[in-house]
Amino acid sequence: LWPQPARDALTVAFTLPASTDVLPVLYDLLGRRVRVYPGQWAEAGSVLRVIDVSDLRPGAYLLRLQAAQGSTERVLMIR
């Protein structure tokens, strides 16, 4: 994830073992879902995705990337 902390947009890098839809979901640290970003098709291999965070309040969040093969989570900071 970069930049950290983010202000307007955040770039997320991840690797997929197979092509699939990827659904980014953002949670606050209390586990409440803050935003579901539109899912997008991603090819297998290295993927970069830009996430708009311009209207979020400053603080820490958990970003979950959900795909058919499973999910991964990353903590991000918004300033």
Side-chain angles (χ1 to χ4, degrees):
L1 300 170
W2 69 89
Q4 282 278 18
R7 180 178 301 229
D8 296 319
L10 180 73
T11 301
V12 182
F14 53 97
T15 303
L16 292 172
S19 300
T20 186
D21 281 319
V22 176
L23 180 67
V25 182
L26 197 63
Y27 297 89
D28 66 16
L29 294 184
L30 296 176
R32 297 176 296 209
R33 188 168 44 194
V34 174
R35 177 170 298 139
V36 177
Y37 293 94
Q40 291 181 323
W41 182 258
E43 297 296 329
S46 296
V47 179
L48 292 177
R49 182 70 38 92
V50 176
I51 305 276
D52 177 20
V53 295
S54 61
D55 61 340
L56 294 176
R57 300 176 101 175
Y61 294 86
L62 181 71
L63 176 65
R64 177 177 292 147
L65 299 171
Q66 296 175 277
Q69 297 87 352
S71 65
T72 185
E73 297 173 346
R74 300 182 187 164
V75 175
L76 62 103
M77 296 296 298
I78 305 295
R79 62 178 168 152

